[in-house]
Amino acid sequence: MTTETPMLRTDTAALDYYLLHGGTGDGHAAGLVVEEFVLADDLSAPLLRSAGWTPAAGGWWSSAAFARSVRADRRLRARLTAVDRATAAATYHRLGGGTLPAEEALRDQFHDDLPLSSGAPLRLGTGPDVHRVLFAGELDDGRLAGLSAALRLAEGPSTTGARPGVVGTGRLRVDDTNLRWDLRRVGGAWCIDVMSEPAAGDALRRMLRRLTGLARGQGLVPATVDRLS
């Protein structure tokens, strides 16, 4: 019996942009980092693609080791600031790169991809599947308050302890889809758990993208996207 490899999807607006600061601590951007999580049919992420650019390097470079180190090394992670494409383009131009290439052209710079661990989904029990975006990084009280507000967490932690580590829960109905998300602390790391009923579709994919972007805005760096059930 053969097993089909899941079809991988790339969202046409799914690139994450970061300013790369120098090690001098002066706050000035020294280059850019561009990343993309490639999603399987079940919206888990088996692959992280990335590329960086600095004037000193003379062009774009791609390094799985760098992407891995960003998520493991707090000091390296502190040199990245999440930005939108417009800010990335302005910085690229200011540093002498000219016009920032279109996203399809940027994808051509992804050469050394980082495989992410994957396997059968962890069984959590009955209920809808959970898509967990796991992040590297810390939240101080101010950033936690900012993220909680951005995520519109209307419900606080469970008083019964039924959902350990949950800081709060947000809900939204999009067309015919009910979406719920928890901001959660798991094993010293932060994650956002997203549930959807019905369990798939574009609404869930867009919500994963949106919630991840809000967390990036508070200094967290996405590390993986897993599907739990």
Side-chain angles (χ1 to χ4, degrees), residues 120-216:
L122 176 66
R123 298 291 176 181
L124 297 180
T126 60
D129 288 351
V130 177
H131 284 80
R132 171 169 292 174
V133 186
L134 186 68
F135 297 91
E138 288 296 322
L139 294 172
D140 59 21
D141 289 345
R143 287 184 179 273
L144 177 57
L147 181 55
S148 297
L151 294 176
R152 300 182 181 181
L153 302 183
E155 303 173 26
S158 169
T159 57
T160 64
R163 296 183 297 148
V166 171
V167 173
T169 299
R171 299 176 187 271
L172 184 67
R173 183 173 176 85
V174 178
D175 297 328
D176 294 325
T177 302
N178 292 313
L179 296 157
R180 190 186 91 208
W181 55 92
D182 295 332
L183 177 62
R184 185 189 294 262
R185 187 78 162 163
V186 176
W190 290 100
C191 69
I192 298 177
D193 289 347
V194 187
M195 291 130 283
S196 170
E197 294 183 285
D202 286 341
L204 174 58
R205 183 156 54 94
R206 291 196 303 269
M207 185 57 66
L208 286 169
R209 174 70 178 159
R210 174 63 176 159
L211 297 176
T212 300
L214 293 174
R216 289 178 61 244

Coordinates of all heavy atoms in Angstrom, one line a residue, residues 120-216:
A120 N 1.7 11.5 13.5 CA 0.3 11.4 13.8 C -0.1 12.4 14.8 O 0.6 12.7 15.8 CB -0.1 10.0 14.3
P121 N -1.3 13.1 14.7 CA -1.7 14.1 15.6 C -1.9 13.5 17.0 O -2.4 12.4 17.2 CB -3.0 14.6 15.0 CG -3.5 13.5 14.1 CD -2.3 12.9 13.6
L122 N -1.5 14.3 18.0 CA -1.7 13.9 19.4 C -3.2 13.9 19.7 O -3.9 14.8 19.4 CB -1.0 14.9 20.3 CG -1.2 14.7 21.8 CD1 -0.5 13.4 22.3 CD2 -0.6 15.8 22.6
R123 N -3.7 12.8 20.3 CA -5.1 12.7 20.7 C -5.4 13.3 22.0 O -4.8 13.0 23.0 CB -5.5 11.2 20.7 CG -5.3 10.4 19.4 CD -6.3 10.9 18.4 NE -6.1 10.2 17.1 CZ -6.8 10.5 16.0 NH1 -7.8 11.4 16.0 NH2 -6.5 9.9 14.8
L124 N -6.3 14.3 22.0 CA -6.6 15.0 23.2 C -8.0 14.6 23.7 O -8.3 15.0 24.8 CB -6.6 16.5 22.9 CG -5.3 17.2 22.5 CD1 -5.5 18.7 22.2 CD2 -4.2 16.9 23.5
G125 N -8.7 13.9 22.9 CA -10.0 13.4 23.4 C -11.1 13.9 22.4 O -10.8 14.1 21.3
T126 N -12.3 14.0 22.9 CA -13.4 14.3 22.0 C -13.4 15.8 21.7 O -12.7 16.6 22.4 CB -14.8 14.0 22.7 OG1 -14.9 14.6 23.9 CG2 -14.9 12.5 22.9
G127 N -14.1 16.2 20.7 CA -14.2 17.7 20.4 C -13.5 17.9 19.1 O -12.9 17.0 18.5
P128 N -13.5 19.2 18.6 CA -12.9 19.5 17.3 C -11.4 19.4 17.4 O -10.8 19.5 18.5 CB -13.3 21.0 17.1 CG -13.6 21.5 18.5 CD -14.1 20.3 19.3
D129 N -10.8 19.3 16.2 CA -9.3 19.3 16.2 C -8.8 20.7 16.6 O -9.5 21.7 16.5 CB -8.8 19.1 14.7 CG -9.0 17.7 14.3 OD1 -9.4 16.8 15.1 OD2 -8.9 17.4 13.1
V130 N -7.6 20.6 17.1 CA -6.9 21.9 17.6 C -5.7 22.1 16.7 O -4.9 21.2 16.5 CB -6.5 21.8 19.1 CG1 -5.7 23.0 19.5 CG2 -7.7 21.5 20.0
H131 N -5.6 23.3 16.2 CA -4.3 23.7 15.5 C -3.5 24.6 16.4 O -4.0 25.6 16.8 CB -4.7 24.4 14.2 CG -5.1 23.5 13.1 ND1 -6.4 23.0 13.0 CD2 -4.4 22.9 12.1 CE1 -6.5 22.2 12.0 NE2 -5.3 22.1 11.4
R132 N -2.4 24.1 16.8 CA -1.5 24.8 17.8 C -0.4 25.5 17.1 O 0.5 24.8 16.5 CB -1.0 23.8 18.8 CG 0.0 24.4 19.8 CD 0.3 23.5 21.0 NE -0.9 23.5 21.9 CZ -1.0 22.6 22.9 NH1 0.0 21.8 23.2 NH2 -2.1 22.7 23.7
V133 N -0.3 26.8 17.3 CA 0.9 27.6 16.8 C 1.7 27.8 18.0 O 1.4 28.4 19.0 CB 0.5 28.9 16.2 CG1 1.7 29.6 15.6 CG2 -0.6 28.8 15.1
L134 N 2.9 27.2 18.0 CA 3.9 27.2 19.1 C 4.9 28.3 18.8 O 5.4 28.4 17.7 CB 4.6 25.9 19.3 CG 5.5 25.8 20.5 CD1 4.7 25.8 21.8 CD2 6.3 24.5 20.4
F135 N 5.2 29.1 19.8 CA 6.1 30.3 19.6 C 7.3 30.2 20.5 O 7.3 29.6 21.6 CB 5.4 31.6 20.0 CG 4.2 31.9 19.2 CD1 2.9 31.4 19.5 CD2 4.3 32.6 18.0 CE1 1.8 31.7 18.8 CE2 3.2 32.9 17.2 CZ 1.9 32.5 17.6
A136 N 8.4 30.7 20.0 CA 9.6 31.0 20.8 C 9.5 32.4 21.3 O 9.0 33.3 20.6 CB 10.9 30.8 20.0
G137 N 10.1 32.7 22.5 CA 10.1 34.0 23.0 C 9.3 34.1 24.3 O 8.5 33.2 24.7
E138 N 9.4 35.3 25.0 CA 8.8 35.5 26.2 C 7.9 36.8 26.1 O 8.1 37.6 25.2 CB 9.8 35.8 27.3 CG 10.6 34.6 27.8 CD 9.7 33.5 28.4 OE1 8.7 34.0 29.1 OE2 9.9 32.3 28.2
L139 N 6.9 36.8 27.0 CA 6.0 38.0 27.1 C 6.1 38.6 28.5 O 5.8 37.9 29.5 CB 4.6 37.6 26.8 CG 4.2 37.1 25.4 CD1 2.8 36.5 25.4 CD2 4.3 38.2 24.4
D140 N 6.6 39.8 28.6 CA 6.5 40.5 29.9 C 5.1 40.9 30.1 O 4.2 40.7 29.3 CB 7.5 41.6 30.0 CG 7.3 42.7 28.9 OD1 6.1 42.8 28.4 OD2 8.2 43.5 28.6
D141 N 4.8 41.5 31.2 CA 3.4 41.9 31.6 C 2.8 42.8 30.5 O 1.6 42.7 30.2 CB 3.4 42.5 33.0 CG 3.6 41.6 34.1 OD1 3.6 40.3 33.8 OD2 3.9 42.0 35.2
G142 N 3.6 43.8 30.1 CA 3.1 44.7 29.1 C 2.7 44.1 27.8 O 1.7 44.3 27.2
R143 N 3.6 43.2 27.3 CA 3.4 42.5 26.0 C 2.2 41.5 26.1 O 1.5 41.3 25.2 CB 4.6 41.8 25.5 CG 5.7 42.8 25.0 CD 6.9 42.1 24.4 NE 7.9 43.0 23.9 CZ 7.9 43.5 22.6 NH1 6.9 43.2 21.8 NH2 8.8 44.3 22.2
L144 N 2.1 40.9 27.3 CA 1.0 39.9 27.5 C -0.3 40.6 27.5 O -1.3 40.2 26.9 CB 1.2 39.2 28.9 CG 0.1 38.2 29.3 CD1 -0.1 37.2 28.2 CD2 0.4 37.6 30.6
A145 N -0.3 41.8 28.1 CA -1.6 42.6 28.1 C -1.9 43.1 26.7 O -3.0 43.0 26.3 CB -1.4 43.8 29.0
G146 N -0.8 43.5 25.9 CA -1.1 43.9 24.6 C -1.6 42.8 23.7 O -2.5 43.0 22.9
L147 N -1.0 41.6 23.8 CA -1.4 40.4 23.0 C -2.8 40.0 23.4 O -3.7 39.7 22.6 CB -0.4 39.3 23.2 CG -0.8 38.0 22.3 CD1 -0.9 38.4 20.9 CD2 0.3 37.0 22.5
S148 N -3.1 40.0 24.7 CA -4.5 39.6 25.2 C -5.5 40.5 24.6 O -6.6 40.1 24.2 CB -4.5 39.6 26.7 OG -3.6 38.7 27.3
A149 N -5.2 41.8 24.6 CA -6.2 42.8 24.0 C -6.3 42.6 22.5 O -7.4 42.6 21.9 CB -5.7 44.2 24.3
A150 N -5.2 42.4 21.8 CA -5.2 42.2 20.3 C -6.0 40.9 20.0 O -6.7 40.9 19.0 CB -3.8 42.1 19.8
L151 N -5.8 39.9 20.8 CA -6.5 38.6 20.5 C -8.0 38.7 21.0 O -8.7 37.7 20.8 CB -5.8 37.5 21.3 CG -4.4 37.1 20.8 CD1 -3.9 36.0 21.7 CD2 -4.5 36.6 19.3
R152 N -8.4 39.8 21.6 CA -9.8 39.9 22.1 C -10.2 38.8 23.0 O -11.2 38.1 22.8 CB -10.7 40.1 20.9 CG -10.4 41.3 20.1 CD -11.4 41.5 18.9 NE -11.1 42.6 18.1 CZ -11.8 43.0 17.0 NH1 -12.9 42.3 16.7 NH2 -11.5 44.0 16.3
L153 N -9.4 38.5 24.0 CA -9.7 37.4 24.9 C -10.8 37.8 25.9 O -10.6 38.6 26.8 CB -8.4 37.0 25.7 CG -7.2 36.6 24.8 CD1 -6.0 36.2 25.7 CD2 -7.6 35.5 23.9
A154 N -12.0 37.4 25.6 CA -13.1 37.8 26.4 C -13.3 36.9 27.6 O -14.1 37.2 28.5 CB -14.4 37.7 25.5
E155 N -12.7 35.7 27.6 CA -12.9 34.8 28.7 C -11.5 34.5 29.4 O -10.5 34.4 28.7 CB -13.4 33.5 28.2 CG -14.8 33.6 27.5 CD -15.2 32.3 26.9 OE1 -14.8 31.2 27.4 OE2 -16.0 32.3 25.9
G156 N -11.5 34.5 30.7 CA -10.2 34.3 31.4 C -10.0 32.8 31.6 O -10.6 31.9 31.1
P157 N -9.0 32.5 32.5 CA -8.6 31.1 32.8 C -9.8 30.4 33.4 O -10.7 30.9 34.1 CB -7.5 31.2 33.8 CG -6.9 32.6 33.6 CD -8.1 33.4 33.2
S158 N -9.8 29.1 33.2 CA -10.9 28.2 33.8 C -10.8 28.2 35.3 O -9.7 28.0 35.8 CB -10.8 26.8 33.2 OG -11.6 25.9 33.9
T159 N -11.9 28.4 36.0 CA -11.8 28.3 37.4 C -11.8 26.9 38.0 O -11.5 26.7 39.1 CB -13.1 29.0 38.0 OG1 -14.3 28.4 37.5 CG2 -13.1 30.5 37.6
T160 N -12.0 25.9 37.1 CA -12.0 24.5 37.5 C -10.7 23.9 37.2 O -10.5 22.7 37.6 CB -13.1 23.8 36.8 OG1 -12.9 23.7 35.4 CG2 -14.5 24.4 37.1
G161 N -9.8 24.6 36.5 CA -8.5 23.9 36.1 C -8.7 23.0 35.0 O -7.7 22.2 34.7
A162 N -9.8 23.0 34.3 CA -10.0 22.0 33.2 C -9.1 22.3 32.0 O -8.9 21.4 31.2 CB -11.5 22.1 32.8
R163 N -8.7 23.5 31.8 CA -7.8 23.9 30.7 C -6.5 24.5 31.2 O -6.4 25.7 31.2 CB -8.5 24.8 29.7 CG -9.7 24.2 29.1 CD -10.4 25.1 28.1 NE -10.9 26.3 28.7 CZ -10.9 27.5 28.1 NH1 -10.4 27.7 26.9 NH2 -11.4 28.5 28.8
P164 N -5.6 23.7 31.7 CA -4.4 24.2 32.4 C -3.6 25.1 31.4 O -3.4 24.8 30.2 CB -3.6 23.0 32.8 CG -4.2 21.9 31.9 CD -5.6 22.2 31.7
G165 N -3.1 26.2 31.9 CA -2.2 27.0 31.2 C -2.9 28.1 30.3 O -2.3 28.9 29.7
V166 N -4.2 28.0 30.2 CA -5.0 28.9 29.4 C -5.1 30.3 30.1 O -5.5 30.4 31.2 CB -6.4 28.4 29.1 CG1 -7.2 29.5 28.4 CG2 -6.3 27.2 28.2
V167 N -4.6 31.3 29.3 CA -4.7 32.7 29.8 C -6.1 33.3 29.5 O -6.6 34.1 30.3 CB -3.6 33.6 29.2 CG1 -3.7 35.0 29.6 CG2 -2.2 33.1 29.7
G168 N -6.6 33.0 28.4 CA -7.9 33.5 28.0 C -8.3 32.9 26.6 O -7.5 32.3 25.9
T169 N -9.6 33.2 26.3 CA -10.2 32.6 25.1 C -10.9 33.7 24.3 O -11.6 34.5 24.9 CB -11.2 31.5 25.5 OG1 -10.5 30.5 26.2 CG2 -11.9 30.9 24.3
G170 N -10.7 33.6 23.0 CA -11.5 34.5 22.1 C -12.4 33.7 21.2 O -12.1 32.5 20.9
R171 N -13.4 34.3 20.7 CA -14.4 33.6 19.8 C -14.8 34.6 18.6 O -14.8 35.8 18.8 CB -15.6 33.2 20.5 CG -15.3 32.2 21.7 CD -16.6 31.9 22.4 NE -16.3 31.0 23.6 CZ -16.3 29.7 23.6 NH1 -16.6 29.1 22.5 NH2 -16.1 29.0 24.7
L172 N -15.1 34.0 17.5 CA -15.5 34.7 16.3 C -16.3 33.8 15.4 O -15.9 32.6 15.3 CB -14.4 35.3 15.6 CG -14.7 36.3 14.4 CD1 -15.4 37.5 14.9 CD2 -13.4 36.6 13.6
R173 N -17.4 34.3 14.8 CA -18.1 33.5 13.8 C -17.8 34.2 12.5 O -18.1 35.4 12.3 CB -19.6 33.5 14.1 CG -20.4 32.6 13.1 CD -21.8 32.4 13.5 NE -22.6 31.7 12.5 CZ -22.7 30.4 12.4 NH1 -22.0 29.6 13.2 NH2 -23.4 29.8 11.4
V174 N -17.3 33.5 11.5 CA -17.0 34.0 10.2 C -17.8 33.2 9.2 O -17.6 32.0 9.0 CB -15.5 33.8 9.8 CG1 -15.2 34.3 8.4 CG2 -14.7 34.6 10.9
D175 N -18.8 33.8 8.5 CA -19.7 33.2 7.7 C -20.4 32.0 8.4 O -21.1 32.3 9.4 CB -19.0 32.7 6.4 CG -18.4 33.8 5.6 OD1 -19.0 34.9 5.6 OD2 -17.4 33.6 4.9
D176 N -20.2 30.8 8.1 CA -20.8 29.7 8.8 C -19.8 28.9 9.6 O -20.1 27.7 10.0 CB -21.5 28.7 7.7 CG -22.6 29.4 7.0 OD1 -23.4 30.2 7.6 OD2 -22.8 29.1 5.8
T177 N -18.7 29.5 10.0 CA -17.7 28.8 10.7 C -17.6 29.5 12.1 O -17.4 30.7 12.2 CB -16.3 28.9 10.0 OG1 -16.5 28.3 8.7 CG2 -15.3 28.2 10.8
N178 N -17.6 28.6 13.2 CA -17.4 29.1 14.5 C -15.9 28.9 14.9 O -15.4 27.7 14.8 CB -18.2 28.3 15.5 CG -19.7 28.7 15.3 OD1 -20.1 29.8 15.3 ND2 -20.6 27.6 15.3
L179 N -15.2 29.9 15.2 CA -13.8 29.9 15.6 C -13.6 30.2 17.0 O -14.2 31.1 17.6 CB -13.0 30.8 14.7 CG -13.0 30.5 13.2 CD1 -12.7 31.8 12.4 CD2 -12.0 29.4 12.9
R180 N -12.7 29.5 17.7 CA -12.3 29.7 19.1 C -10.8 29.6 19.2 O -10.2 28.7 18.6 CB -13.0 28.7 20.0 CG -12.9 29.1 21.5 CD -13.5 28.0 22.4 NE -12.5 27.0 22.7 CZ -12.7 25.8 23.0 NH1 -14.0 25.3 22.9 NH2 -11.8 25.0 23.4
W181 N -10.2 30.4 20.0 CA -8.7 30.3 20.2 C -8.4 30.6 21.7 O -9.0 31.4 22.3 CB -8.0 31.3 19.3 CG -8.4 32.7 19.4 CD1 -7.9 33.7 20.2 CD2 -9.5 33.3 18.7 NE1 -8.5 34.9 20.0 CE2 -9.5 34.7 19.0 CE3 -10.4 32.9 17.7 CZ2 -10.4 35.6 18.5 CZ3 -11.3 33.8 17.2 CH2 -11.3 35.1 17.6
D182 N -7.4 29.9 22.1 CA -6.9 30.0 23.5 C -5.4 30.5 23.4 O -4.6 29.9 22.6 CB -6.9 28.7 24.3 CG -8.3 28.1 24.5 OD1 -9.2 28.9 24.6 OD2 -8.4 26.9 24.6
L183 N -5.1 31.5 24.2 CA -3.7 31.8 24.5 C -3.3 31.0 25.7 O -3.9 31.0 26.7 CB -3.5 33.3 24.8 CG -2.1 33.7 25.1 CD1 -1.2 33.5 24.0 CD2 -2.1 35.2 25.5
R184 N -2.2 30.2 25.5 CA -1.9 29.2 26.5 C -0.4 29.1 26.8 O 0.4 29.4 25.9 CB -2.4 27.8 26.0 CG -2.2 26.6 27.0 CD -2.5 25.3 26.4 NE -3.9 25.1 26.0 CZ -4.8 24.5 26.7 NH1 -4.5 23.9 27.8 NH2 -6.0 24.3 26.2
R185 N 0.0 28.8 28.0 CA 1.3 28.6 28.4 C 1.5 27.1 28.5 O 0.8 26.4 29.3 CB 1.6 29.2 29.7 CG 3.1 29.2 30.2 CD 3.9 30.3 29.5 NE 5.1 30.5 30.2 CZ 6.1 31.1 29.6 NH1 6.1 31.5 28.4 NH2 7.2 31.4 30.3
V186 N 2.5 26.5 27.7 CA 2.7 25.1 27.7 C 4.2 24.8 27.9 O 5.0 25.1 27.0 CB 2.2 24.4 26.4 CG1 2.5 22.9 26.4 CG2 0.7 24.6 26.2
G187 N 4.5 24.2 29.0 CA 5.9 23.8 29.2 C 6.9 24.9 29.1 O 8.0 24.7 28.6
G188 N 6.5 26.1 29.6 CA 7.4 27.2 29.5 C 7.4 28.0 28.2 O 8.1 29.0 28.0
A189 N 6.6 27.5 27.2 CA 6.5 28.2 25.9 C 5.0 28.7 25.8 O 4.1 28.3 26.4 CB 6.8 27.3 24.8
W190 N 4.9 29.7 24.9 CA 3.6 30.2 24.6 C 3.0 29.6 23.3 O 3.8 29.3 22.4 CB 3.6 31.8 24.4 CG 3.9 32.5 25.6 CD1 5.1 33.0 26.0 CD2 2.9 32.8 26.6 NE1 5.0 33.6 27.3 CE2 3.6 33.6 27.6 CE3 1.6 32.6 26.8 CZ2 3.0 34.0 28.8 CZ3 0.9 33.1 27.9 CH2 1.7 33.8 28.9
C191 N 1.7 29.4 23.3 CA 1.1 28.9 22.1 C -0.3 29.5 22.0 O -0.9 30.0 22.9 CB 1.0 27.4 22.0 SG -0.1 26.6 23.3
I192 N -0.8 29.4 20.7 CA -2.2 29.8 20.5 C -2.9 28.5 19.9 O -2.4 28.0 18.9 CB -2.4 31.0 19.5 CG1 -1.7 32.2 20.1 CG2 -3.8 31.2 19.2 CD1 -1.8 33.4 19.2
D193 N -3.9 28.0 20.6 CA -4.7 26.9 20.1 C -5.9 27.4 19.4 O -6.7 28.2 20.0 CB -5.1 26.0 21.3 CG -3.9 25.2 21.9 OD1 -2.8 25.2 21.2 OD2 -4.0 24.7 23.0
V194 N -6.2 26.9 18.2 CA -7.3 27.4 17.4 C -8.2 26.2 17.1 O -7.7 25.2 16.6 CB -6.8 28.1 16.1 CG1 -8.0 28.7 15.4 CG2 -5.8 29.2 16.4
M195 N -9.5 26.4 17.3 CA -10.5 25.4 17.0 C -11.5 25.9 16.1 O -11.9 27.1 16.1 CB -11.2 24.9 18.3 CG -10.2 24.1 19.2 SD -10.3 24.7 20.9 CE -9.2 26.1 20.9
S196 N -12.0 25.1 15.1 CA -12.9 25.5 14.1 C -14.0 24.5 13.9 O -13.7 23.3 13.9 CB -12.1 25.7 12.8 OG -13.0 25.9 11.7
E197 N -15.2 25.0 13.8 CA -16.4 24.1 13.5 C -17.2 24.8 12.4 O -17.8 25.9 12.7 CB -17.2 23.8 14.8 CG -16.5 23.0 15.8 CD -17.4 22.7 17.0 OE1 -17.6 23.6 17.8 OE2 -17.8 21.5 17.1
P198 N -17.3 24.2 11.2 CA -16.7 23.0 10.7 C -15.1 23.1 10.8 O -14.6 24.1 11.0 CB -17.1 23.0 9.3 CG -18.3 23.8 9.2 CD -18.1 24.9 10.2
A199 N -14.5 21.9 10.7 CA -13.1 21.7 11.1 C -12.1 22.1 10.1 O -10.9 21.9 10.3 CB -12.9 20.3 11.5
A200 N -12.5 22.7 8.9 CA -11.5 23.0 7.9 C -12.0 24.2 7.1 O -13.0 24.8 7.5 CB -11.2 21.8 7.0
G201 N -11.2 24.6 6.1 CA -11.7 25.6 5.2 C -10.8 26.9 5.3 O -9.9 27.0 6.2
D202 N -11.1 27.8 4.5 CA -10.3 29.0 4.4 C -10.4 29.9 5.6 O -9.5 30.6 6.0 CB -10.8 29.8 3.1 CG -10.3 29.2 1.8 OD1 -9.4 28.4 1.9 OD2 -10.9 29.5 0.8
A203 N -11.6 29.9 6.3 CA -11.7 30.7 7.5 C -10.7 30.3 8.6 O -10.1 31.2 9.2 CB -13.1 30.6 8.1
L204 N -10.5 29.0 8.7 CA -9.5 28.5 9.7 C -8.1 28.9 9.3 O -7.3 29.4 10.1 CB -9.5 27.0 9.9 CG -8.5 26.4 10.7 CD1 -8.5 27.0 12.1 CD2 -8.7 24.9 10.8
R205 N -7.7 28.8 8.0 CA -6.4 29.1 7.5 C -6.1 30.6 7.7 O -5.1 31.0 8.1 CB -6.3 28.7 6.0 CG -4.9 29.0 5.4 CD -4.7 28.1 4.2 NE -5.7 28.1 3.2 CZ -5.7 29.0 2.2 NH1 -4.6 29.7 2.0 NH2 -6.6 29.0 1.3
R206 N -7.1 31.4 7.3 CA -7.0 32.9 7.5 C -6.8 33.3 9.0 O -6.0 34.2 9.3 CB -8.2 33.6 6.9 CG -8.2 33.5 5.4 CD -9.2 34.6 4.8 NE -10.5 34.5 5.4 CZ -11.5 33.8 4.8 NH1 -11.3 33.0 3.7 NH2 -12.7 33.7 5.4
M207 N -7.6 32.6 9.8 CA -7.5 32.9 11.3 C -6.1 32.5 11.8 O -5.5 33.3 12.7 CB -8.6 32.2 12.0 CG -8.7 32.6 13.5 SD -8.8 34.4 13.8 CE -10.5 34.7 13.2
L208 N -5.6 31.4 11.4 CA -4.3 31.0 11.9 C -3.2 32.1 11.5 O -2.4 32.4 12.3 CB -3.9 29.6 11.3 CG -4.5 28.4 11.9 CD1 -4.2 27.2 11.0 CD2 -4.0 28.2 13.3
R209 N -3.4 32.5 10.3 CA -2.5 33.6 9.8 C -2.6 34.9 10.6 O -1.6 35.5 11.0 CB -2.8 33.8 8.3 CG -2.0 35.0 7.7 CD -0.6 34.7 7.5 NE 0.1 35.8 6.9 CZ 1.4 36.0 6.9 NH1 2.2 35.2 7.6 NH2 2.0 37.0 6.3
R210 N -3.8 35.3 10.8 CA -4.1 36.5 11.5 C -3.6 36.4 13.0 O -2.9 37.4 13.4 CB -5.6 36.8 11.5 CG -6.1 38.0 12.3 CD -5.5 39.3 11.8 NE -6.0 40.4 12.6 CZ -5.4 41.6 12.6 NH1 -4.2 41.8 12.0 NH2 -5.9 42.6 13.3
L211 N -3.9 35.4 13.7 CA -3.5 35.3 15.1 C -2.0 35.2 15.2 O -1.4 35.8 16.1 CB -4.2 34.0 15.7 CG -5.7 34.1 15.8 CD1 -6.3 32.8 16.3 CD2 -6.2 35.3 16.6
T212 N -1.4 34.5 14.3 CA 0.1 34.4 14.3 C 0.7 35.8 14.1 O 1.7 36.1 14.8 CB 0.6 33.4 13.2 OG1 0.0 32.1 13.5 CG2 2.1 33.3 13.2
G213 N 0.1 36.6 13.2 CA 0.6 37.9 13.0 C 0.5 38.8 14.2 O 1.4 39.6 14.5
L214 N -0.6 38.6 15.0 CA -0.7 39.4 16.2 C 0.3 39.1 17.2 O 0.9 39.9 17.9 CB -2.1 39.2 16.7 CG -3.3 39.8 15.9 CD1 -4.6 39.4 16.5 CD2 -3.2 41.3 15.7
A215 N 0.6 37.8 17.3 CA 1.6 37.3 18.3 C 3.0 37.8 17.9 O 3.8 38.2 18.7 CB 1.6 35.8 18.4
R216 N 3.3 37.8 16.6 CA 4.6 38.3 16.1 C 4.7 39.8 16.4 O 5.8 40.3 16.7 CB 4.7 38.1 14.6 CG 4.9 36.7 14.1 CD 4.9 36.6 12.6 NE 6.0 37.4 12.0 CZ 5.9 38.4 11.2 NH1 4.7 38.9 10.9 NH2 7.0 39.0 10.8

